[in-house]
Amino acid sequence: MSSAFLLSLDQGTTSTRAILFDARGAEVASLGEPLAQHYPRDGEVEHDALEIFSASVKVLRGVLGRAGVSPSQVAAIGITNQRETVVVWDRRTGEPVGRALVWQDRRTAPECEALRARGFETRVTALTGLLLDPYFSATKLAWILDSQPGLRARAEAGELLAGTMDTWVIWKLTGGAVHATDATNASRTLLFDIHAQDWSDELLDLFRVPRALLPRVLDCADDFGATLPEMLGGAIAIRGVAGDQQAALMGQGCLRPGEMKATYGTGCFMLLNTGETAPRSSSRLLTTVAARLGGRATYALEGSIFVAGAALQWINEGLGVEGGGAAVEALAQRARSGHGVILVPAFTGLGAPWWDPDARGALLGMTRDTGLAEIADAAFEAAAFQTRDLIEAMRLDAPAAFGPDAELRIDGGMSRSTWFCQKLSDLTRTPVGRAAYEETTALGAALFAGLGCGLYPDAATAAVARPSTKRMTPRTPGPDADAAYAVWLRSVSRIRSDS
């Protein structure tokens, strides 16, 4: 077992990275490539799918070379990806019909609002666990098919294929032999019935997406074919696929109901494992597939924060504080105690549980003594308060998950700061476990691949490879944390678009 390697491809929003792991889950080598962002108009975000594939091959080849490992020594590849980003391509030539529309793209908001006004959201949520929002893939696909004359007819004739970035990369790596996705990515499209575990004809009709476009839906640990030998210098089996947040859930070892994780990057995604029960959220959280193994699906409640680390970047770029997140943290630690400043970073609207795309950010509670240090501190507190928004919503939807041993496992850029981790624990009144190894998303994909190729006999054995955590418990007295959170809620109410 110790001589086998697992190769992970993490195709993210701003970069594509390959990481080689040994069978114990330890990183051997890594290599990344930045990804260009295209913004044709306000609210529109696009990626070049060919650039993504080229970068994928480059980093996969490069990391093997850097480690001095041959393809024959790699047991399997696992792929994880930005989830809702979608592309359409020509089945014969392999050429995209246009750029991929990124999960952040908001161009189909009017279509979502029109469907909501016609009363479809309740039914869509019942089938998919999602809300009617341009965040998801279905309206993006419909937009692409209507963007050029003849595309819809070609799609209906079976001449075109579509998929999220996992599907696209798999199709290209296998030379067009495999057109497939996994259940976690499928569950983010607004086209997949998470209860029947299949594409829904009802939803395909509603969103005007031909079934012929769509990939097969496999388990997270499954046979996704093998790379063409010339791609990487030898054929390597692809045996694991999961969307980025579900891969991180696996990488954090959150296999049992009640276990939860949050990943802090540009935004923050928090998932709570609910086991084989797919709860219907009363708090406007998402119900999503956590994993599907051996044909059996497990589910999770998910909440999305649009701005977490991006608030620190705003202070760097917008307020002229040089030195990245570390400089913002150093500044924040000099803030006056009890300064009362609240930053609601609704730069692109509010995510869960508010789902208010028209809300806009605000700085509240400023006095003549307010300076950059207080604003910097408020940016970190905003990430903690938004996390508490999600925790409180999940507590309402799944109260049994929050027993005395509940812990929020965290990873991502902001988790590097011990100071922030303690603040997070204090303000959410929740124990926090910081992962000792940050790249849990890539690790999760590798562990799914290890399951898929038989390197691990079961998920519990695979999860032994997850990183250790440093646990922090709340220090701030409960009443003080609750009072601070009440101020946050009042601040949010002031900037809501419906207030």
Side-chain angles (χ1 to χ4, degrees), residues 1-6 20-28 69 72-75 453-456 461 465:
M1 181 172 176
S2 60
S3 62
F5 295 96
L6 294 168
L20 186 70
F21 295 94
D22 67 21
R24 296 183 179 86
E27 180 181 313
V28 177
V69 169
S72 63
Q73 294 175 275
V74 178
C453 71
L455 192 60
Y456 307 118
T461 303

Side-chain angles (χ1 to χ4, degrees), residues 221-492:
D222 214 323
D223 184 353
F224 292 86
T227 64
L228 293 177
E230 60 267 29
M231 290 284 183
L232 306 177
I236 305 178
I238 305 170
R239 292 293 183 266
V241 175
D244 52 8
Q245 302 310 316
Q246 287 91 337
L249 195 70
M250 176 66 170
Q252 286 275 28
C254 296
L255 302 180
R256 293 176 291 274
E259 294 180 328
M260 55 186 171
K261 74 90 194 175
T263 298
Y264 293 88
T266 300
C268 172
F269 294 89
M270 179 176 167
L271 274 71
L272 170 71
N273 190 322
T274 62
E276 295 187 21
T277 300
R280 180 71 180 271
S281 175
S282 61
S283 307
R284 291 181 67 77
L285 298 175
L286 308 177
T287 303
T288 195
V289 175
R292 197 173 84 187
L293 297 170
R296 300 183 67 174
T298 54
Y299 300 90
L301 283 170
E302 177 174 332
S304 305
I305 296 169
F306 292 162
V307 174
L312 311 186
Q313 186 180 26
W314 168 69
I315 291 173
N316 289 144
E317 298 175 357
L319 301 185
V321 177
E322 297 181 356
V328 180
E329 179 187 343
L331 186 62
Q333 292 187 38
R334 300 201 297 269
R336 289 180 293 108
S337 176
H339 55 74
V341 176
I342 295 286
L343 169 63
V344 185
F347 303 149
T348 57
L350 288 170
W354 314 108
W355 291 106
D356 186 348
D358 297 319
R360 287 297 176 263
L363 267 170
L364 304 168
M366 291 190 292
T367 66
R368 181 65 180 80
D369 296 330
T370 298
L372 283 175
E374 286 71 35
I375 295 172
D377 190 42
F380 283 98
E381 291 186 347
F385 287 135
Q386 289 178 102
T387 303
R388 182 158 177 179
D389 286 341
L390 299 181
I391 289 173
E392 297 301 333
M394 289 179 179
R395 198 187 304 273
L396 288 174
D397 287 336
F402 290 87
D405 297 327
E407 176 186 84
L408 178 62
R409 297 175 186 170
I410 67 171
D411 54 70
M414 292 182 73
S415 71
R416 297 172 190 155
S417 167
T418 301
W419 175 81
F420 168 69
C421 294
Q422 186 61 61
K423 183 184 287 285
L424 178 66
S425 180
D426 289 343
L427 293 178
T428 61
R429 298 185 61 189
T430 304
V432 165
R434 178 177 62 181
Y437 176 67
E438 187 179 313
E439 301 292 345
T440 57
T441 301
L443 175 60
L447 298 182
F448 278 128
L451 280 170
C453 71
L455 192 60
Y456 307 118
D458 51 49
T461 303
V464 171
R466 79 175 181 89
S468 61
T469 57
K470 179 180 179 181
R471 184 179 172 91
M472 301 174 195
T473 56
R475 296 182 308 186
T476 301
D480 293 348
D482 291 343
Y485 183 57
V487 174
W488 163 261
L489 291 176
R490 289 196 296 271
S491 300
V492 170

Side-chain angles (χ1 to χ4, degrees), residues 131-157:
L131 302 173
L132 275 172
D133 194 271
Y135 176 31
F136 306 109
S137 309
T139 55
K140 292 182 174 68
L141 272 174
W143 186 93
I144 292 171
L145 295 183
D146 292 332
S147 66
Q148 300 174 34
L151 284 187
R152 182 168 292 280
R154 293 181 63 200
E156 292 169 350

